[in-house]
Amino acid sequence: MRKTLQSLVKTAAFLPFTIGASVAQDFDSVEMKVHPVAGNVSYIEGMGGNIGLFAGADGVFLIDDQYAPLTEKIVAAVRTVSAEPIRFLVNTHMHPDHTGGNENFGKMGTMIFGHDNVRSQMGVADYKEAPPLVTFSDDMSFHINGETVHVFKTPNAHTNGDVFVRFAGSNVVHTGDVYRTTSYPYVDVANGGSFLGTIKAYDLLIEVSDAATKIVPGHGVISNVGEVRAFRDMMLVIRDRTAAAIRNGMTLEQAQGAGLTAEYDERWESGRPIGSSAKLLEAAYADMAQ
Ligand SMILES: [Zn+2]
């Protein structure tokens, strides 16, 4: 438990509340909700990133695992859908609200996969969470439960190790935090994320989706390609306005105060650093200002 609390303090930015004596109690009060998506694919909503859940005769396949103190509740939620062993788990990226359960699941015998950069960047950032044991450079496929699950790297977007997970038969894509329906995109520049790469990643998501595809975001609710297209188009507007601000000699601080995202703020401003307009413009400057 001490180790868990240390890692929580280290990663406080990813928690939606202030760290304090109430942490354990807050985890106690978290409820896991299983939302059916399509076919045998569901997602589990708890605290942290949405967990993808794909169950069948070959075993349970999970995407991300929230925080360590929630593992028991996550397993209980899985057991409402399947009694099969939890064999495979993919980390969509490095952040602790997606990798916090790795150590617990590893001890249970679950094989954990992630992009090479998830493992290496968790080391660079000195995270206490356990990194994936099996890593890959570009993509990999799982042939389980009657369908192909394709896990593939996106351009550097939210971090430098993001993947999309596409269930070909069920027509579902889990996007990790590259896409969220709760706020502006969060580009973690310190961990290799990129504003322009985020736009490219949306282009890729649109390319692999059709009108019927169910898109499970890292945070938020089930979405679709039309909503992703609108989100991408918003990013193009913000990109062009930021480029103009840079050309006109505006500093980042001036750009952040210039209302460049004004008409989108009511819908997408998170009101905290992650998912804010100010942070998004900072990432845009990091890519475009010389
Ligand atoms: Zn994240």
Side-chain angles (χ1 to χ4, degrees):
M1 193 62 194
R2 182 168 299 141
K3 186 178 178 196
T4 303
L5 284 173
Q6 274 173 0
S7 58
L8 283 173
V9 169
K10 189 168 185 73
T11 56
F14 298 96
L15 289 168
F17 51 80
T18 306
I19 293 294
S22 64
V23 167
Q25 201 181 342
D26 285 322
F27 282 122
D28 285 348
S29 67
V30 173
E31 275 182 51
M32 295 292 154
K33 290 186 193 132
V34 180
H35 300 272
V37 181
N40 292 322
V41 182
S42 313
Y43 79 90
I44 305 172
E45 176 192 1
M47 191 173 82
N50 287 329
I51 295 174
L53 165 58
F54 176 47
D58 297 324
V60 173
F61 173 99
L62 293 181
I63 304 166
D64 293 338
D65 52 25
Q66 298 186 354
Y67 297 104
L70 299 174
T71 301
E72 260 181 59
K73 290 184 182 193
I74 293 164
V75 172
V78 170
R79 290 293 165 241
T80 66
V81 172
S82 172
E84 299 295 334
I86 302 172
R87 291 180 68 187
F88 309 112
L89 193 157
V90 170
N91 291 142
T92 58
H93 65 291
M94 63 188 289
H95 286 150
D97 59 326
H98 298 256
T99 57
N102 280 3
E103 186 175 350
N104 294 336
F105 280 99
K107 281 180 184 158
M108 284 185 264
T110 305
M111 192 67 80
I112 302 177
F113 301 80
H115 187 267
D116 290 339
N117 292 349
V118 173
R119 188 177 170 90
S120 59
Q121 193 66 26
M122 284 174 89
V124 171
D126 197 22
Y127 277 14
K128 298 298 179 236
E129 288 72 19
L133 287 188
V134 184
T135 66
F136 54 91
S137 59
D138 189 17
D139 71 327
M140 67 185 306
S141 295
F142 295 82
H143 306 275
I144 51 169
N145 301 333
E147 70 172 287
T148 300
V149 185
H150 189 208
V151 181
F152 52 102
K153 176 79 168 61
T154 78
N156 292 352
H158 178 63
T159 66
N160 64 6
D162 305 303
V163 293
F164 290 149
V165 183
R166 179 168 178 267
F167 299 86
S170 301
N171 198 6
V172 174
V173 183
H174 189 299
T175 66
D177 283 2
V178 172
Y179 180 60
R180 57 179 71 206
T181 65
T182 52
S183 70
Y184 285 118
Y186 173 54
V187 177
D188 184 354
V189 174
N191 286 312
S194 160
F195 177 93
L196 295 175
T198 297
I199 295 173
K200 285 187 199 150
Y202 294 150
D203 289 338
L204 177 63
L205 180 55
I206 291 163
E207 192 184 308
V208 301
S209 302
D210 61 36
T213 305
K214 307 266 194 200
I215 295 173
V216 179
H219 298 266
V221 296
I222 297 173
S223 185
N224 59 60
V225 72
E227 290 179 353
V228 173
R229 213 174 268 124
F231 209 67
R232 190 269 318 266
D233 291 348
M234 170 186 78
M235 288 286 283
L236 292 175
V237 170
I238 296 170
R239 178 197 67 186
D240 292 347
R241 287 177 186 168
T242 305
I246 292 167
R247 273 199 310 276
N248 293 332
M250 286 173 100
T251 65
L252 169 62
E253 290 70 25
Q254 287 167 338
Q256 286 168 328
L260 299 187
T261 62
E263 74 265 44
Y264 307 115
D265 287 348
E266 189 179 336
R267 174 68 184 87
W268 298 116
E269 172 62 43
S270 67
R272 61 195 187 100
I274 289 178
S276 66
S277 167
K279 272 281 177 197
L280 187 62
L281 293 175
E282 189 180 317
Y285 261 68
D287 272 0
M288 294 191 280
Q290 296 305 314

